[in-house]
Amino acid sequence: MSLPTPIYDLKQFDSVYEPSEDTFLFIDALEADLEYIHSLRPSCILEVGSGSGIVITSLARHFQTQCLFFATDINPVACLCTKQTAYLNNVVVHCTNMNLYCNFKSIFDIILFNPPYVCTEDSEIKPGINRSWAGGRDGRIIIDQFLSQLKLFLSDSGVCYMVALKENKPYEIMATMKVLGFNSCIIKERRILGEHLFVIRFIKEGNLK
Ligand SMILES: C[S@@+](CC[C@H](N)C(=O)[O-])C[C@H]1O[C@@H](n2cnc3c(N)ncnc32)[C@H](O)[C@@H]1O
C-alpha cells in the first residue's frame, strides 16, 4: 500500500507553507502505518493545519469514499489551497478556517498535525506564513495547545499522528501525554538539513488495537 504525492499548485498561494522535508516525512510515516490505519476502519479523518493540503489529500485519494475528510488551518489562504489540492486530485476535503479544532463538536478516528515547531520568541507567532513555522518557546506553544485538547476530539479507538522536532523534546511530550491518558510511540524519525524530525503516534490508554 502506498501514498503517492498528490498534484498541487501553490502559484496563487504565496502565504501557504510549501511542502517540505517534514511534509514528506509525515506522508512516509502514514504510508508505513497504513495497515494499522486500515485496521481501525476509520470513518472520519481530520488534518489540523493542512497548509497546501497534500497530506490529507494523500489519505483521501487512498480511502476515496470510505471516509469523510476534514481539514483546518488558521491561515484562510491555506484553506483555499487545501480545497484546490483536493479538487485537483478528484477528492473532497472539507476545510475550515479555525484555530486548531476548537469549533468542532464531533470526534475523529484519525487526527494529523504537522505543527509550527520551530523554536522562536513567542512574539513571532503572528498571522500569515509565520504561523507555519513559529512555535514560540521550545517550539511548543501550538503543540501544547493542540495536545491538551486531543482527548476531546479523538475517538476512543482513534489515533493521532504528529510531527515534532528534537528541540520540542519529544520524549517529554510523550511523558506528558501519558499523564493525560495516552500511550505514544515514535513511528519514524529522520535527520534532514540539520533538523532531527520525529513522527509520534498517540492512542488513548485502554485502546487495545
Ligand atoms: C508546518 S505547516 C504544515 C502544513 C502542511 N500540513 C504540511 O505538512 O505541509 C503548519 C500549518 O499549521 C497551520 N497552523 C498553525 N497554527 C495553527 C492553529 N493554531 N490552528 C490551525 N492551523 C494552524 C499553519 O498555517 C500551517 O499551514
Side-chain angles (χ1 to χ4, degrees), residues 175-188:
T176 305
M177 290 305 281
K178 184 81 187 159
V179 176
L180 294 179
F182 285 88
N183 289 323
S184 30
C185 63
I186 289 165
I187 59 161
K188 203 143 201 115

Side-chain angles (χ1 to χ4, degrees), residues 15-20 22-24 26 47-55 72-75 78 98-101 113-117 125 128-129 131-133 142 145 163:
S15 64
V16 174
Y17 186 74
E18 182 165 358
S20 307
D22 50 343
T23 315
F24 297 113
F26 202 19
E47 183 181 10
V48 172
S50 56
S52 66
I54 73 164
V55 177
T72 71
D73 205 292
I74 201 155
N75 175 357
M98 76 171 84
N99 182 16
L100 302 174
Y101 24 34
F113 193 26
N114 178 9
Y117 53 64
I125 305 176
I129 193 68
R131 300 255 7 181
S132 298
W133 50 269
I142 310 300
Q145 287 170 7
V163 177

Side-chain angles (χ1 to χ4, degrees), residues 115-126 130-145 165 167-168:
Y117 53 64
V118 178
C119 306
T120 63
E121 296 294 325
D122 291 2
S123 58
E124 286 197 58
I125 305 176
K126 51 189 173 198
N130 267 48
R131 300 255 7 181
S132 298
W133 50 269
R137 188 168 177 218
D138 292 334
R140 285 275 292 273
I141 299 292
I142 310 300
I143 287 177
D144 289 348
Q145 287 170 7
L165 189 66
E167 289 77 357
N168 305 144

Side-chain angles (χ1 to χ4, degrees), residues 40-98:
L40 301 176
R41 299 179 177 276
S43 57
C44 266
I45 303 184
L46 169 69
E47 183 181 10
V48 172
S50 56
S52 66
I54 73 164
V55 177
I56 188 75
T57 298
S58 68
L59 281 179
R61 281 201 335 185
H62 179 80
F63 283 97
Q64 297 284 334
T65 54
Q66 293 172 52
C67 303
L68 292 173
F69 295 91
F70 297 88
T72 71
D73 205 292
I74 201 155
N75 175 357
V77 184
C79 295
L80 295 175
C81 188
T82 290
K83 287 180 190 171
Q84 177 188 272
T85 300
Y87 176 78
L88 290 174
N89 292 276
N90 296 314
V91 293
V92 178
V93 174
H94 304 281
C95 187
T96 312
N97 179 213
M98 76 171 84

